[in-house]
Amino acid sequence: MKHKLFLLFFLSALGLQTSFAQNQRSTYNFNPGWKLYIGDITNAEAIDFDDKSWKGITLPYAWNEGEAFKKSIEDLSTGIAWYRKHFTLPNGAQDKKIFLEFEGIRQAGEFYLNGKFIGRHENGITAFGFDISNLIIPDKENVLAVRIDNAWNYREKATNSPYQWNDKNFNANYGGISKNVRLHIAGKLYQTLPLYSSLKTTGNYIYAKNFNITGKSAVVVSESEVKNETNELKNISYEIDLKDADGKLIKTFNAIPQNLAPGETAILKAEAVVNGLNFWSWGYGYLYTITSRLKVNGVTVDELYTKTGFRKTEFKNGMVYLNDQVLMMKGYAQRTSNEWPAVGLSVPAWLSDYSNQLMVESNANLVRWMHITPWKQDIESCDRVGLIQAMPAGDSEKDVTGTRWDQRKAVMTDAIVYNRNNPSIVFYECGNESISAEHMVEMKDIRNQYDPNGGRAIGSREMLDINAAEYGGEMLYINKSANKPLWSMEYSRDEGLRKYWDEFSPPYHINGAGPKYKDADASDYNRNQDSHAIENVIRWNEYYQERPGTGTRVSSGGVNIIFSDSNTHHRGEENYRRSGEVDAMRIPKDGFFAHKVMWDGWVDAKKEGIHLIGHWNYKAGTKKNVYVVAAGNKVALFLNGKSLGYGEKSNGFLFTFKAVNYQSGILKAVSYDAKGVKLAETQLKTSGEPVSIKLTKMQNPTGFKADGSDLALVQVEVIDAAGNRCPIALNMINFELTGPAEWRGGIAQGPDNYILSKQLPVEGGVNRILVRSTTTAGKINITAKAEGLKSSTIALETFPVSVKNGLSSQFPADGLKSNLKRGATPTAQTYQVSRKTIKIIGASAGANTDKARLSYDDNELSDWVNDGTLNTAWIKYDLEKESTVTQVELKVNGFRTKAYPIRILVDGKEVFKGNTIPSLGYFTAICKPTKGKTVTIQLLGSGKDNNANIGVEVNGKKLDDGIERVETKSKGGLSIIEAEIYEAK
């Protein structure tokens, strides 16, 4: 665990010892044994306040957690809540440095130790801490009291300014101490904590340089900020041990000893070449443990353990390079709350791993957390599962100035310092909307000061023409570049419940049925699984067509919004967002499997992926389209062994078999390459009548902990006599729980979304529920019953956790293993070159020739436009050399909504005539291969508005559709943002 100070030895079997060695550094889990009172109360900070009647809880715990998914985001409860904790330090803590570390709270807290005010934290995002060395009572009980205010309109006390990110659209408000807490005890010569704003310290910083990827070596560097709070000058040796994932010592290296005067702070640094390294990679969360050790006169006085990984990154040629290989970014824009029903964000570490690894299993390589920095638990989880992160700081939907900009800079500083040792963070995001060039420079300066060697690009959404930004990309649309990587910050945002298979299956959901949102077309917000998955295929394929290998200017990918259904802003008939590729309980929708097919590969999709959308249980006489998502060249369908022929291919990966007559049995899809060689197959099988219930447990791989915070996930299915899930079952399940556990339940369509109810219907034959442990270990039984079905019971058992005087040496992530399934970074090039760009060296036009270069300048915020008359609606490009032109690609103004009749000529010979097609950015004209030195694009008539209703944002604002030009509203108006000309490879 990064930035965590671990015990030098574990005290698990015997519980916490009552004393420790004079110079031993210790860190304790401070989550157990808290008391909660919802509401404001007088004198609750007092050491002798009577809190016996308060609710006992284990952190992390949001006081309004039971409202998660029950209430719409804007209705989540706010107000004051008090948290109190009684604890006693082990013997020997006298004259030590003692720190509290909070991973974060929501929104603002006032902290009191033994009745005395110790500080305030207000931004609702970042980690922070307190030096309580002089206020602690080392040999008696201490009381920590915290007053939390999670008001939506909370204002910073010193400035009276609100926080931009305390927003009712995207930042679900789970109030209180919703993240982990630790207590640290160290000697007075020590390595600091990475808590910049609160403690003004930066902790340690570990990175690698001088990579030799093929030789598996690099120079590993460890830097620690060290403070001497003793009364003596100390001559300090700084020693580093590097251990691999199996705990084997790989290397020991040292810095030159250094004197540190009383009261002085210094950065100690050691580095060495390390051979035989395993580099962290996508789906390969290989982590090392760095022990940074301070010695005085040969005696160890401080020891810090940090888990980290090493990887090489580069951002050039419009592409992202990981360990010397190009990686097209594919993944999800996920709400930072990453929440679950009736729990919110405060889940155990294993459940963070479960959720985040599902992203990797869908073949995502990137999660773009939205608007605010994720908590440390999710960041460390992504390290383990091998999922790249784009880490924001704090923002809303626009740039700001003054105090609010200062707040954003402070959060970015804190987030970088706290998380710079986490290898999965590859992008720092400065804003969910473009920021000014000056602000970009300020943020970049923060990165350069605190993380100059971490191999992380810093940028923001959009930033297409701001040179200081090292990456960028719009929302929803495709951007390309020959220089910095541009990837879409969120695309394919349509919504649909997992419950809705199609219009032929219970509950028979015709696509778009349901209420409209702000009078918009409801088909985008109330999809069924068929259309939702198909939309995902259509949208991703446009990015895939512009992938690395398709020319000099390329798209570096994009992230789908969102991964899991979210308790944030919504547009459909439910009071939560259903854009997820899994539902709120992480049960996959068909879109999950569609992405798994399309995204399996670093750039080019592996040909073996295949998925049959939907199920195969219908009424006799049903006739419906069958859809297959596959990466092969063609797909055949077989029903009970009889061939139904080959599907119609569209959008790169979609194969449609129209009007298939339903017949019970086995529906099989087989994919082939261009030569007819079989690549993959999959099938759907008709299930029988429902006869019973099946329960399956999913829990912490190290055991279900009786810590009052651990959760177990139990899946419930309705099955037939052969054990097959019944995909159209909608049975109501009645649950019974016995034993030391707390019911948290699940979610389904119905009253209050069934939050906390012990009655819960299956949807599509399946659902899931959560139960939480108490602090009493023991056996738990869960029984599921339904009318007409055989019931089922599953047994769980929780195991004791050692807690003494409010402290524990067992941490939530202890024992969790890294995901290494994908293996190391491939050694071969990850993409094939499919076409080559022909360089344009000049241009002339019917009007505004002096601006013609703007149509090929690699800047999508500039364009060439004529004067609006048809006879000037042409532009002629001069090529670097005579070449055989095979394709011309255009980004025209109105690219999303208009179709333009054009023709293309090579040296005066017509090679294309037709209409452009509205898209997310680019239209490709397939030309008759013709050799020449000039290419002319000519408008033949007025552009037609084909998609007038497309591009409306949640708030009703129409999204950009290029660059607003008066000329393009005229019959003869033509404006080109970017033109590219290609020859075959």
Side-chain angles (χ1 to χ4, degrees):
M1 289 179 164
K2 273 76 43 200
H3 303 321
K4 289 186 179 178
L5 313 178
F6 281 47
L7 292 170
L8 287 179
F9 53 90
F10 288 100
L11 309 174
S12 56
L14 299 177
L16 292 176
Q17 292 189 357
T18 59
S19 64
F20 48 88
Q22 181 180 0
N23 293 311
Q24 181 177 318
R25 171 192 286 262
S26 301
T27 291
Y28 297 103
N29 181 349
F30 209 60
N31 289 338
W34 286 77
K35 294 274 194 170
L36 170 67
Y37 179 86
I38 301 172
D40 209 356
I41 191 167
T42 304
N43 296 324
E45 74 277 12
I47 191 169
D48 57 354
F49 182 88
D50 185 0
D51 57 19
K52 291 185 178 63
S53 64
W54 289 19
K55 180 179 181 179
I57 59 168
T58 300
L59 299 181
Y61 189 93
W63 63 265
N64 58 349
E65 63 168 5
E67 297 176 356
F69 288 91
K70 180 178 181 178
K71 293 185 176 183
S72 185
I73 180 172
E74 70 274 10
D75 296 325
L76 292 171
S77 293
T78 59
I80 306 300
W82 280 88
Y83 290 72
R84 282 172 59 92
K85 180 180 174 68
H86 299 252
F87 64 101
T88 303
L89 296 186
N91 291 336
Q94 296 87 346
D95 201 33
K96 299 293 181 185
K97 294 299 298 182
I98 302 169
F99 300 97
L100 288 173
E101 177 191 353
F102 289 80
E103 287 187 358
I105 60 172
R106 178 66 181 273
Q107 172 70 37
E110 296 173 343
F111 295 78
Y112 302 85
L113 181 64
N114 298 326
K116 296 180 180 179
F117 180 71
I118 60 173
R120 180 183 291 117
H121 185 75
E122 299 174 280
N123 67 39
I125 300 177
T126 58
F128 59 96
F130 301 102
D131 182 346
I132 58 173
S133 308
N134 296 327
L135 293 175
I136 205 80
I137 305 172
D139 54 351
K140 294 182 180 179
E141 183 179 84
N142 295 268
V143 179
L144 179 67
V146 187
R147 183 182 184 270
I148 305 283
D149 182 353
N150 72 320
W152 286 113
N153 60 353
Y154 182 88
R155 289 177 176 267
E156 188 177 32
K157 299 299 184 186
T159 64
N160 197 38
S161 171
Y163 289 93
Q164 188 189 11
W165 50 84
N166 198 4
D167 188 284
K168 293 182 181 180
N169 280 318
F170 56 79
N171 193 358
N173 195 340
Y174 306 125
I177 309 177
S178 54
K179 302 175 185 178
N180 297 305
V181 187
R182 287 174 288 278
L183 182 140
H184 306 277
I185 304 174
K188 290 195 172 182
L189 178 63
Y190 62 97
Q191 297 167 79
T192 66
L193 295 175
L195 301 173
Y196 185 76
S197 287
S198 51
L199 297 180
K200 304 303 178 186
T201 56
T202 57
N204 67 341
Y205 180 36
I206 298 166
Y207 55 92
K209 62 182 182 180
N210 301 340
F211 288 91
N212 182 338
I213 298 299
T214 57
K216 300 188 71 174
S217 72
V219 173
V220 173
V221 184
S222 179
E223 303 178 4
S224 288
E225 184 184 60
V226 177
K227 275 194 171 186
N228 181 7
E229 295 194 33
T230 73
N231 295 321
E232 300 175 353
L233 183 144
K234 300 289 184 180
N235 182 259
I236 308 169
S237 296
Y238 184 59
E239 181 178 271
I240 304 300
D241 282 349
L242 177 65
K243 293 183 179 180
D244 67 12
D246 296 321
K248 180 182 177 182
L249 181 64
I250 302 300
K251 187 92 172 183
T252 297
F253 51 99
N254 303 273
I256 297 172
Q258 180 174 333
N259 288 330
L260 201 61
E264 189 178 358
T265 301
I267 303 293
L268 303 188
K269 175 180 176 181
E271 62 180 64
V273 175
V274 180
N275 297 311
L277 284 173
N278 293 299
F279 295 113
W280 188 95
S281 187
W282 168 36
Y284 189 70
Y286 200 96
L287 300 175
Y288 289 86
T289 300
I290 290 271
T291 304
S292 50
R293 185 179 298 118
L294 304 182
K295 288 184 174 182
V296 176
N297 298 324
V299 176
T300 298
V301 297
D302 189 58
E303 215 166 39
L304 174 66
Y305 299 100
T306 305
K307 273 199 174 180
T308 191
F310 308 108
R311 79 287 181 276
K312 180 184 178 184
T313 56
E314 292 177 281
F315 310 92
K316 60 184 182 181
N317 307 324
M319 298 182 285
V320 177
Y321 293 75
L322 178 62
N323 300 329
D324 289 341
Q325 295 298 335
V326 174
L327 182 63
M328 189 178 188
M329 307 321 299
K330 299 170 282 190
Y332 304 99
Q334 176 75 337
R335 298 302 183 199
T336 298
S337 44
N338 207 12
E339 69 269 39
W340 292 71
V343 176
L345 69 87
S346 304
V347 299
W350 80 266
L351 203 53
S352 294
D353 280 12
Y354 176 78
S355 179
N356 295 331
Q357 186 158 325
L358 274 176
M359 294 194 221
V360 178
E361 289 180 9
S362 75
N363 286 319
N365 57 43
L366 171 66
V367 57
R368 176 197 174 230
W369 303 109
M370 300 186 70
H371 297 282
I372 64 172
T373 308
W375 65 322
K376 193 67 168 182
Q377 181 169 292
D378 262 327
I379 289 175
E380 293 179 334
S381 172
C382 290
D383 287 347
R384 289 190 293 270
V385 305
L387 181 61
I388 294 170
Q389 301 179 75
M391 186 199 81
D395 74 344
S396 184
E397 291 287 347
K398 61 181 180 179
D399 203 358
V400 288
T401 57
T403 297
R404 289 189 298 166
W405 177 248
D406 291 339
Q407 291 169 340
R408 283 174 61 166
K409 287 197 297 180
V411 170
M412 179 61 83
T413 302
D414 281 356
I416 287 177
V417 170
Y418 196 59
N419 300 310
R420 60 187 177 175
N421 292 333
N422 295 90
S424 54
I425 297 174
V426 171
F427 301 98
Y428 290 141
E429 180 178 298
C430 303
N432 193 60
E433 181 61 270
S434 59
I435 60 175
S436 68
E438 294 77 12
H439 280 172
M440 187 67 245
V441 170
E442 289 182 50
M443 286 293 197
K444 192 172 182 179
D445 286 344
I446 293 171
R447 191 279 312 269
N448 291 343
Q449 181 175 355
Y450 294 105
D451 186 20
N453 303 303
R456 297 179 175 96
I458 190 163
S460 178
R461 201 177 94 193
E462 301 187 2
M463 312 304 286
L464 305 182
D465 63 344
I466 295 180
N467 292 331
E470 295 167 342
Y471 76 97
E474 291 183 283
M475 178 177 69
L476 300 179
Y477 301 148
I478 295 173
N479 305 116
K480 300 202 297 180
S481 175
N483 297 297
K484 64 187 176 189
L486 300 178
W487 46 270
S488 177
M489 299 295 170
E490 45 192 272
Y491 77 91
S492 195
R493 307 189 307 165
D494 296 6
E495 299 184 53
L497 278 176
R498 183 182 61 80
K499 179 178 182 177
Y500 298 147
W501 283 113
D502 52 38
E503 61 188 280
F504 307 101
S505 309
Y508 306 106
H509 184 81
I510 298 173
N511 191 62
K516 291 187 175 182
Y517 178 83
K518 295 187 177 180
D519 206 34
D521 181 358
S523 62
D524 290 345
Y525 311 140
N526 284 294
R527 291 192 177 276
N528 56 42
Q529 284 212 56
D530 274 12
S531 75
H532 201 175
I534 291 168
E535 179 69 10
N536 282 324
V537 173
I538 293 169
R539 292 293 149 245
W540 173 251
N541 184 58
E542 288 199 51
Y543 293 91
Y544 188 71
Q545 294 304 312
E546 311 302 335
R547 68 192 181 275
T550 61
T552 301
R553 300 184 70 247
V554 295
S555 164
S556 201
V559 287
N560 178 311
I561 175 171
I562 49 182
F563 175 63
S564 60
D565 289 353
S566 170
N567 191 189
T568 54
H569 70 246
H570 54 89
R571 296 165 290 183
E573 58 189 317
E574 311 306 313
N575 66 354
Y576 62 92
R577 188 74 172 264
R578 295 97 24 83
S579 299
E581 306 311 321
V582 299
D583 70 10
M585 301 301 288
R586 276 51 174 187
I587 302 172
K589 305 176 189 179
D590 268 311
F592 175 94
F593 300 105
H595 286 104
K596 189 172 184 176
V597 170
M598 299 186 293
W599 287 352
D600 190 9
W602 276 57
V603 177
D604 297 337
K606 293 183 179 179
K607 295 295 185 180
E608 292 76 18
I610 189 169
H611 175 66
L612 251 169
I613 293 177
H615 64 90
W616 199 238
N617 273 70
Y618 293 96
K619 292 181 180 178
T622 299
K623 183 181 290 187
K624 76 176 295 281
N625 289 351
V626 171
Y627 304 100
V628 180
V629 183
N633 296 85
K634 55 184 179 178
V635 173
L637 194 66
F638 301 87
L639 179 54
N640 295 325
K642 181 181 178 181
S643 174
L644 301 183
Y646 292 99
E648 177 185 335
K649 186 176 183 179
S650 63
N651 298 291
F653 299 92
L654 185 66
F655 297 83
T656 302
F657 299 83
K658 295 182 177 179
V660 175
N661 289 305
Y662 171 73
Q663 183 183 93
S664 66
I666 296 175
L667 185 69
K668 183 170 71 172
V670 182
S671 65
Y672 304 89
D673 67 11
K675 296 180 180 179
V677 177
K678 179 179 175 181
L679 296 170
E681 68 175 63
T682 189
Q683 67 178 38
L684 296 171
K685 182 179 181 181
T686 305
S687 65
E689 292 298 314
V691 298
S692 61
I693 297 170
K694 177 183 177 182
L695 298 177
T696 306
K697 64 182 177 183
M698 289 166 269
Q699 64 182 33
N700 191 326
T702 67
F704 193 7
K705 304 296 192 301
D707 59 5
S709 182
D710 203 2
L711 291 162
L713 189 62
V714 177
Q715 180 164 287
V716 55
E717 298 172 86
V718 172
I719 59 174
D720 65 11
N724 301 306
R725 182 188 299 175
C726 300
I728 58 174
L730 297 168
N731 303 69
M732 180 65 72
I733 310 296
N734 297 285
F735 293 92
E736 297 174 1
L737 172 67
T738 61
E742 178 190 7
W743 182 262
R744 303 313 299 169
I747 188 172
Q749 188 184 47
D752 290 331
N753 300 319
Y754 287 95
I755 299 302
L756 292 174
S757 175
K758 289 187 179 178
Q759 278 195 319
L760 187 74
V762 293
E763 295 179 333
V766 62
N767 215 324
R768 290 174 180 170
I769 58 96
L770 286 165
V771 294
R772 177 185 283 149
S773 68
T774 68
T775 54
T776 301
K779 293 184 178 180
I780 301 159
N781 287 316
I782 299 171
T783 299
K785 299 178 180 180
E787 185 177 350
L789 300 178
K790 183 181 178 181
S791 63
S792 179
T793 298
I794 194 168
L796 306 174
E797 185 173 4
T798 56
F799 297 95
V801 172
S802 177
V803 179
K804 186 171 183 178
N805 295 324
L807 307 178
S808 176
S809 60
Q810 293 176 249
F811 292 86
D814 283 355
L816 296 180
K817 303 295 185 183
S818 285
N819 167 41
L820 303 175
K821 291 180 182 178
R822 287 195 67 89
T825 302
T827 56
Q829 182 168 295
T830 52
Y831 64 93
Q832 300 296 317
V833 175
S834 59
R835 63 186 185 186
K836 294 183 179 179
T837 300
I838 305 171
K839 187 176 180 180
I840 300 170
I841 58 172
S844 57
N848 300 321
T849 290
D850 59 323
K851 299 291 180 65
R853 60 181 176 78
L854 300 181
S855 67
Y856 61 94
D857 62 350
D858 197 24
N859 178 2
E860 294 182 6
L861 294 183
S862 67
D863 70 321
W864 164 82
V865 63
N866 74 328
D867 58 10
T869 59
L870 192 60
N871 67 334
T872 65
W874 61 268
I875 188 167
K876 183 177 182 180
Y877 296 104
D878 299 318
L879 307 182
E880 182 180 42
K881 61 180 180 179
E882 187 177 55
S883 306
T884 301
V885 177
T886 57
Q887 294 181 24
V888 174
E889 195 162 76
L890 301 174
K891 189 169 196 176
V892 295
N893 265 314
F895 58 82
R896 190 72 177 100
T897 56
K898 288 186 177 181
Y900 293 89
I902 62 169
R903 69 171 179 163
I904 300 174
L905 305 98
V906 174
D907 284 358
K909 299 176 184 176
E910 184 175 283
V911 297
F912 174 87
K913 185 177 183 180
N915 291 328
T916 66
I917 299 173
S919 70
L920 296 181
Y922 285 85
F923 164 72
T924 302
I926 306 300
C927 302
K928 177 183 178 181
T930 303
K931 183 175 284 190
K933 289 200 68 176
T934 65
V935 173
T936 302
I937 299 163
Q938 181 180 359
L939 183 68
L940 299 178
S942 179
K944 294 182 179 179
D945 195 333
N946 285 12
N947 295 279
N949 295 322
I950 290 179
V952 177
E953 175 60 292
V954 174
N955 59 13
K957 175 186 174 183
K958 189 177 184 298
L959 293 168
D960 295 336
D961 191 22
I963 303 165
E964 188 69 24
R965 291 293 186 197
V966 173
E967 293 86 351
T968 60
K969 300 181 188 297
S970 303
K971 182 177 180 180
L974 177 64
S975 172
I976 298 175
I977 298 169
E978 289 295 327
E980 298 164 66
I981 302 167
Y982 302 100
E983 60 183 341
K985 67 171 184 176

